[in-house]
Amino acid sequence: MICDVVPMEAGYLLLGRPRQYDRKIIYNGLINEITLTHLGTKFVLHPQTSSQMAKDQLTTKGKRDEEEKLQKQKKEG
């Protein structure tokens, strides 16, 4: 499988049509929930709340800022 990787402030799970049918994925649109089984383990994916998304974005931004700072230090030193 060929994929493009794009840096994002928030992560999203994309399950296209082939993935949904090949993996026996059940999407419940009423409660916005995805259920799937992987290696015999059942997973139920729920959407994040607004506060969870904000926290994740701040954490990701902080990590990215630290990495950029370290890269600048390596270039200067």
Side-chain angles (χ1 to χ4, degrees):
M1 178 180 356
I2 298 173
C3 301
D4 291 328
V5 178
V6 179
M8 299 174 64
E9 296 241 350
Y12 297 94
L13 179 65
L14 301 175
L15 298 172
R17 190 175 178 91
R19 272 278 191 233
Q20 290 177 356
Y21 293 104
D22 292 348
R23 306 288 179 181
K24 296 182 183 178
I25 293 172
I26 301 168
Y27 174 67
N28 185 339
L30 184 62
I31 57 176
N32 196 16
E33 176 181 277
I34 297 173
T35 305
L36 62 109
T37 303
H38 179 68
L39 300 175
T41 304
K42 182 178 177 180
F43 295 92
V44 180
L45 307 176
H46 304 278
Q48 290 184 324
T49 63
S50 298
S51 60
Q52 289 172 326
M53 285 190 293
K55 182 180 175 183
D56 286 348
Q57 286 179 347
L58 288 174
T59 303
T60 303
K61 185 178 183 323
K63 288 180 182 178
R64 189 176 61 239
D65 290 345
E66 286 180 25
E67 289 174 3
E68 289 174 359
K69 184 178 178 180
L70 287 173
Q71 287 179 354
K72 285 181 183 180
Q73 289 176 350
K74 286 181 182 179
K75 287 181 182 179
E76 291 175 357

